[in-house]
Amino acid sequence: MTVVREVPRRCVVWFGQPESHEQAELIRAGWNLRIADVAEPGGVGMRRGDTVVALADLRQGGADRLHALELMMADHAWLPWLTLLSAELPTQDPQVARVLLASVDFFTAPLDLQRLLDKLTLIGSNHLPVGHADIGGMTGRSAAIQAVVASIRKYAPVDLPVLITGETGAGKEVAARALHELSARRHRPFAAINCGALAPNLVQSELFGHERGSFTGANARRIGHFESAAGGTVFLDEVGDLPLDAQTNLLRFLQEGTLERVGSSQSISVDVRVLAATHVNLEQAVEQGRFREDLYYRLNVLRLHMPALREREDDVVLLAQHFLDSFREHHNSCARGFSHAARQALRSFAWPGNVRELLNRVQRAAVVAEDVMITAADLDLEDAAQLHAMRLSLGLSRISAERDAVVACLRESRFNISECARRLKVSRVTVYRLCKKHQLELEQLR
Ligand SMILES: Nc1ncnc2c1ncn2[C@@H]1O[C@H](COP(=O)(O)OP(=O)(O)O)[C@@H](O)[C@H]1O
Ligand SMILES: [Mg+2]
């Protein structure tokens, strides 16, 4: 007997006119497409269990279409609506603002098709907004983050230490958690310890525990982080800050799998995987005698580098939208997305504080925004928006290209700022801003 089961369909009802490549892209991604006319509203035509998402296309047609759509949205308020805006439509206009507020999310022309497909998939699978490469809370689709994710998948099941490098805020701890979550240890503890934050005289006792009376103030036995995390993972953040005596004990633990509590000579076997992170150059610390070379080799068996955010321009807007969506789950904000100029500023900024800085700026912007679209000013990135215009006029597609171009131009102008400004067709102030942005020390370059 064959059971014919109707597969629930996924359908986008597009009020307006999609372009042919947009149609093709949606169909390729498994969505049925119905093109509907705002002027002639009819039934949407679906079966129970189907996923239907409505898309209000406001790229063409003026106030009439806006008005008809507003009525339609009110009629079909139960449908998830997405809105596609022409760049010219002012989002402050009360009618536009009402349409945007009635929609789950909106997009501006030119349409970011990948973001649209991501959003449709989310609505279709009824999930909370999550990112793309999403493993263990790691959002991103850039080539750089995909490579990181591939390494994490490879390293997670192996019980060896991993040394995670990268700038502050780049996501080292996120990566460590992902390694833990994807390992067989995921149901056991994950202990994150910031070695730089521990008082130097208490490091040993914090990590490995102590016996009662082992030092003044040790009134009771204390179990250290390694023992409490038995079966799980210990993440030693800023491992370069570990004092030398603690380094010796850590090395011993890595070699033998045993530790001794302070004030005891009894060895205890503990099963813990060690992950370590550093934002300083450990090789240099080894050369300077601040870090044991043998410990360095033990920790550095597998290495994972978290790229700086400016090296993943493709992730910035995606992450910003992700942080905004998460913020809105718990707080009120009229903001739904980012204006065109804000997106450009986001991509153009050098992000010295990496993902952490992006998170902070987006949260602040979500609070201060007075419009459905977060502006470059809300993000405090007006400079970046101006610099972006310069980048475009110079035909520099990436930030690294911008830095190279500025250095080259400074050299050609013999470090005469006025001459460099003339050549770049920007103001002197902008040249100084560019130097600051790319951490270029004129004195050192000269
Ligand atoms: N790929 C990512 N996706 C989502 N959030 C991220 C990502 N990378 C970093 N974050 C967030 O950015 C902040 C800084 O990350 P963290 O791992 O603490 O950086 P680091 O340890 O390198 O200083 C955290 O709030 C973290 O949740
Ligand atoms: Mg950290």
Side-chain angles (χ1 to χ4, degrees), residues 277-288:
T278 177
H279 81 281
V280 296
N281 185 326
L282 267 194
E283 289 79 0
Q284 210 176 339
V286 169
E287 269 168 36
Q288 293 168 350

Side-chain angles (χ1 to χ4, degrees), residues 137-140 145 166-175 235 237-238 277 306 312 319 322-323 355-356 359:
M138 190 171 297
T139 302
I145 208 75
E167 293 177 15
T168 299
K172 297 187 291 298
E173 185 161 345
V174 172
F235 171 53
D237 203 356
E238 300 313 343
M306 292 307 294
R312 325 179 220 159
L319 275 165
H322 167 71
F323 291 144
V355 186
R356 184 174 293 114
L359 171 66

